[in-house]
Amino acid sequence: MSSVMDEQSGMFNVQQTIGSVLCCKCGVQMPPNHANMCVNCLRSEVDITEGLQKSIQIFYCPECTCYLQPPKTWIKAQWESKELLTFCIKRLKNLNKVKLKNAEFVWTEPHSKRIKVKLTVQAEVLNGAVLEQSYLVEFTVRDNLCESCSRFQANPDQWVASVQLRQHVSHRRTFFYLEQLILRHDAASRAIRIQQVDQGIDFFFGNKSHANAFVEFLRKVVPIEYRQDQQLVSHDVKSSLYNYKYTYSVKICPVCREDLVCLPSKVASGLGNLGPLVVCTKVSDNITLLDPRTLRCAFLDARQYWRSGFRSALTSRQLVKYFVFDVESPVVEATVGGQIYALSYVQIARESDIGKMFYVQTHLGHILKPGDQALGYDIYGANVNDNEMEKYRLSVKNGLPEAILIKKCYDEQRERKKKKSRNFKLKKLPIEMDDSRGRLDPERMDNEYEEFLRDLEENPELRFNVSMYENTEYEPSETASMTDGEGAPSVPLAELLSDLKISEKEEDDDEEEDDMAE
């Protein structure tokens, strides 16, 4: 606008131009600066990286993959990660004399024990001229065990905190499921030793905070209550330092999935007069209870359960096999926790006494049909040692139901493919067996583990939080539909994960291909 006005008024307008000068060293034409030198001559005269560290030594623990941040802090960082780059820059001294513009890794072999970082810095030089320069810093990695790892290497039994996990029941199905949850979430990665004992598992940690984190994980996946104790190991009078060993006694709720529970009157009234004869259908951080005769359900958290502390009247080890002779059409259907149930009447008889027929209600009307087999609790002939059950028996006019069915039985279908392997496999924790008291029965544990695998095949909701891997040794038969157990539950291939394992031979082949490509 001003230039237009100048032209109209006839005034002379001087255009500004950027002048150039000659470098005082080499005579090259260049834009003027405070030093009157070109960039090349300025770099030859002044080195802004002088006095900055070009090489430094860092310490690395190969056991826990941590780096030492002096004086005593160990930082976990992966190779060429953002955390490792930050750690390396913080180790450099006198870096505050310049302005850091950029930092990046320069590739090196992981086994070379060298980490190279390229830094770009800026600084003011002669008469206020700003110079930017890049240089390499080499970090030499020295292996050095951290305090906890060196203590464990010297004595593997020297732990700081232990978690004693217990469940006072007659089987270990809960621990098999909990083991898969721990593997899926990598909750016991910092445990220095895992030991199996009677009615539970002991986890040993080298740090109290690791044990605290593990107990917090358990609290989120199962209803527990725990107590913390400590024992004085040593005391330094001069420095007033105390060394303790910490023990967490964790008790898991004794009510398990498929257990029959007779609720105390106070608990039943608090749940809207539920039951009181109910079936536990799921145990997570909450306990899911289902009334098999009305399809009403309720949820109890850990705090509510431990306030009353009731136990199971009958457990899964007391299940009896029944034959189903007739199934009426369902009366009502309901969905509880993602599972569909249908209320109907069925005519059944015990396998041991087929002549005695029972006409009972069941919540399995959607899956049972005449000719099937089912597992249930024989209340008619069972000797139940439960005070709440006796109180309920005396208070009911029509008496207790003769049987309560729990699940459909697939023994006949499984018998046909008994010798065939499964299409999936599970990983296991590195657990040591402590049979000092002679109470561990390997054969019984194998049978219970087989029951756990069958539960995974039958219950999709149970395997939702379990990492199941494809069994490469499994070979499906071409005549499976004709000879094998038709109708037996199995795990779909879409739910299985691939267990990636790269052999040394494959790694060598990949390296040869890379060399040829170069």
Side-chain angles (χ1 to χ4, degrees):
M1 186 62 131
S2 61
S3 61
V4 174
M5 293 179 62
D6 293 341
E7 291 178 0
Q8 293 177 353
S9 59
M11 296 180 63
F12 178 72
N13 184 22
V14 179
Q15 295 183 356
Q16 295 183 357
T17 58
I18 300 176
S20 60
V21 297
L22 299 179
C23 175
C24 63
K25 285 285 187 180
C26 61
V28 175
Q29 194 172 8
M30 65 169 195
N33 55 38
H34 295 284
N36 287 332
M37 290 186 189
C38 64
V39 176
N40 293 331
C41 295
L42 197 58
R43 287 177 179 173
S44 63
E45 290 290 327
V46 181
D47 183 12
I48 62 175
T49 64
E50 185 178 359
L52 302 180
Q53 287 181 297
K54 304 293 194 308
S55 63
I56 189 172
Q57 190 177 65
I58 58 177
F59 294 96
Y60 169 76
C61 178
E63 294 293 328
C64 58
T65 64
C66 293
Y67 293 86
L68 177 62
Q69 179 72 45
K72 293 183 179 181
T73 306
W74 289 86
I75 300 175
K76 194 176 185 66
Q78 298 297 327
W79 183 262
E80 292 192 356
S81 63
K82 181 174 63 175
E83 293 78 11
L84 182 58
L85 183 62
T86 304
F87 165 77
C88 293
I89 294 175
K90 287 183 178 180
R91 290 301 316 276
L92 297 176
K93 298 179 180 179
N94 300 329
L95 199 60
N96 55 352
K97 294 182 178 180
V98 294
K99 183 179 180 181
L100 181 64
K101 296 294 292 183
N102 188 32
E104 59 184 4
F105 284 108
V106 176
W107 186 85
T108 56
E109 289 284 354
H111 55 75
S112 64
K113 299 297 181 182
R114 296 291 187 275
I115 299 176
K116 293 183 179 180
V117 179
K118 182 180 179 181
L119 300 179
T120 303
V121 295
Q122 280 184 354
E124 290 188 1
V125 291
L126 303 173
N127 299 324
V130 179
L131 180 63
E132 183 174 299
Q133 189 173 348
S134 299
Y135 71 104
L136 283 178
V137 181
E138 184 177 274
F139 297 85
T140 305
V141 182
R142 292 284 301 273
D143 289 345
N144 186 24
L145 293 177
C146 62
E147 184 179 357
S148 59
C149 292
S150 61
R151 186 189 302 142
F152 175 71
Q153 291 286 347
N155 184 7
D157 293 328
Q158 192 158 354
W159 48 272
V160 175
S162 68
V163 179
Q164 298 176 350
L165 190 60
R166 299 290 184 270
Q167 187 184 31
H168 301 294
V169 293
S170 58
H171 57 82
R172 301 187 66 88
R173 291 166 59 191
T174 303
F175 290 104
F176 291 139
Y177 179 65
L178 192 59
E179 178 184 13
Q180 298 305 316
L181 291 180
I182 293 172
L183 287 169
R184 182 182 179 90
H185 297 278
D186 202 19
S189 59
R190 294 184 178 272
I192 60 178
R193 187 160 60 94
I194 306 174
Q195 189 176 54
Q196 179 173 320
V197 295
D198 184 41
Q199 292 189 336
I201 304 176
D202 291 343
F203 296 84
F204 298 92
F205 298 89
N207 196 309
K208 181 186 176 184
S209 61
H210 300 163
N212 277 329
F214 184 68
V215 173
E216 185 66 21
F217 166 78
L218 293 175
R219 192 179 61 82
K220 293 179 180 179
V221 295
V222 286
I224 63 169
E225 68 171 357
Y226 67 94
R227 187 188 69 189
Q228 177 186 346
D229 299 309
Q230 62 183 20
Q231 179 184 4
L232 181 63
V233 178
S234 61
H235 174 212
D236 189 351
V237 181
K238 294 182 178 179
S239 58
S240 188
L241 294 177
Y242 296 84
N243 290 329
Y244 289 97
K245 278 192 172 182
Y246 302 91
T247 302
Y248 295 84
S249 301
V250 182
K251 184 166 65 173
I252 303 177
C253 161
V255 177
C256 301
R257 194 175 60 87
E258 298 176 354
D259 284 0
L260 181 66
V261 179
C262 186
L263 296 174
S265 58
K266 185 181 292 186
V267 178
S269 61
L271 298 175
N273 292 324
L274 180 73
L277 273 182
V278 294
V279 177
C280 178
T281 59
K282 182 180 179 181
V283 178
S284 57
D285 55 341
N286 294 323
I287 303 174
T288 306
L289 301 175
L290 174 71
D291 188 344
R293 294 182 292 177
T294 61
L295 297 188
R296 293 180 57 204
C297 68
F299 302 92
L300 285 177
D301 58 17
R303 180 179 55 84
Q304 291 173 318
Y305 170 77
W306 292 112
R307 189 187 302 164
S308 56
F310 56 85
R311 297 183 64 89
S312 302
L314 294 171
T315 65
S316 58
R317 298 187 67 86
Q318 297 168 282
L319 290 172
V320 178
K321 187 181 294 185
Y322 287 88
F323 289 105
V324 180
F325 291 94
D326 188 22
V327 180
E328 295 185 2
S329 58
V331 179
V332 64
E333 292 186 357
T335 302
V336 178
Q339 288 277 23
I340 300 176
Y341 299 102
L343 187 64
S344 63
Y345 287 89
V346 295
Q347 190 177 13
I348 58 175
R350 288 174 294 187
E351 184 186 32
S352 59
D353 186 11
I354 299 181
K356 182 69 175 177
M357 293 288 182
F358 299 107
Y359 189 70
V360 297
Q361 267 185 323
T362 181
H363 60 290
L364 304 177
H366 61 298
I367 59 174
L368 292 180
K369 60 182 183 296
D372 286 345
Q373 295 179 355
L375 294 176
Y377 293 112
D378 181 17
I379 301 178
Y380 175 79
N383 184 13
V384 182
N385 185 17
D386 187 76
N387 294 331
E388 297 297 334
M389 183 81 84
E390 282 299 320
K391 293 179 183 178
Y392 182 58
R393 186 195 299 269
L394 296 175
S395 63
V396 177
K397 295 180 181 180
N398 300 329
L400 299 177
E402 291 84 359
I404 294 180
L405 300 183
I406 300 300
K407 61 180 179 179
K408 187 176 178 179
C409 182
Y410 300 93
D411 286 353
E412 286 187 358
Q413 293 88 336
R414 286 197 175 94
E415 195 68 28
R416 298 175 190 172
K417 56 175 187 178
K418 187 175 182 180
K419 297 182 181 180
K420 291 187 175 294
S421 60
R422 289 182 168 86
N423 63 340
F424 68 92
K425 60 182 179 179
L426 302 176
K427 292 186 177 182
K428 293 186 177 182
L429 289 172
I431 301 178
E432 303 174 2
M433 299 294 179
D434 181 16
D435 198 13
S436 57
R437 298 184 179 181
R439 295 183 179 180
L440 296 179
D441 187 357
E443 184 178 355
R444 177 182 169 185
M445 289 180 57
D446 292 341
N447 294 334
E448 291 175 350
Y449 189 71
E450 176 66 22
E451 293 178 5
F452 170 67
L453 295 180
R454 291 181 180 181
D455 290 341
L456 289 178
E457 291 177 333
E458 297 174 7
N459 195 337
E461 187 181 4
L462 184 64
R463 60 176 181 260
F464 180 76
N465 292 321
V466 177
S467 297
M468 309 178 72
Y469 297 90
E470 185 178 355
N471 186 6
T472 55
E473 299 177 358
Y474 173 73
E475 296 180 359
S477 175
E478 296 179 357
T479 60
S481 61
M482 299 174 57
T483 60
D484 288 344
E486 185 178 2
S490 60
V491 181
L493 290 176
E495 297 183 15
L496 302 181
L497 303 174
S498 298
D499 191 7
L500 298 177
K501 289 185 179 179
I502 302 177
S503 61
E504 294 181 358
K505 184 178 180 180
E506 292 177 351
E507 290 181 351
D508 295 340
D509 294 342
D510 292 341
E511 290 180 0
E512 291 179 1
E513 292 178 359
D514 294 341
D515 294 340
M516 293 176 64
E518 291 177 358

